Amino acid sequence: MVGFFIWGLAGFWDRVKRKIDFEENQSSQSAMKNALREREMERDGSIFIVWGLKLVWVIIRGVFFPIFYIIFMIRGEKEIKEQIEQTQELKATLES
């Protein structure tokens, strides 16, 4: 479970870095607008709800993404085996 949590946090830190890069490259008007919006969110406490929901999303993604990925790998392996069998049957038909 801890591994899944760490895996989920890896994407979170990349997103934080992208946000910092975005803030450095935006215009002064949009920077002021975003700063005022964040200040208002800090004042009324809704920023904690936003960050809490982001953290919950990271945890959910970190836990459930590997499960879906494993299911995808298992299904993909079965499909590849079926395609190999079909290819071998077609090869045998062409050789005879």
Side-chain angles (χ1 to χ4, degrees):
M1 189 67 144
V2 173
F4 292 144
F5 180 73
I6 291 171
W7 188 5
L9 282 178
F12 182 75
W13 297 120
D14 289 338
R15 180 159 169 84
V16 169
K17 185 180 179 308
R18 277 187 277 149
K19 181 175 182 188
I20 291 170
D21 291 341
F22 171 76
E23 288 175 354
E24 289 174 353
N25 296 326
Q26 65 183 345
S27 69
S28 61
Q29 286 180 338
S30 60
M32 182 63 85
K33 181 180 169 184
N34 289 336
L36 289 172
R37 185 180 302 141
E38 284 189 21
R39 185 173 181 192
E40 185 65 30
M41 289 174 70
E42 288 174 0
R43 193 176 308 155
D44 67 7
S46 63
I47 196 159
F48 299 113
I49 295 170
V50 170
W51 280 99
L53 290 173
K54 287 181 181 182
L55 182 62
V56 167
W57 173 247
V58 165
I59 293 170
I60 289 172
R61 187 185 71 185
V63 171
F64 290 109
F65 178 74
I67 294 170
F68 292 124
Y69 187 69
I70 290 170
I71 292 170
F72 177 72
M73 286 176 39
I74 292 170
R75 286 184 182 166
E77 183 179 346
K78 289 179 184 178
E79 289 177 13
I80 290 173
K81 286 181 181 178
E82 289 174 3
Q83 290 177 359
I84 289 173
E85 290 174 6
Q86 290 174 355
T87 306
Q88 289 176 346
E89 290 174 5
L90 286 172
K91 182 180 175 184
T93 336
L94 290 173
E95 289 178 351
S96 56

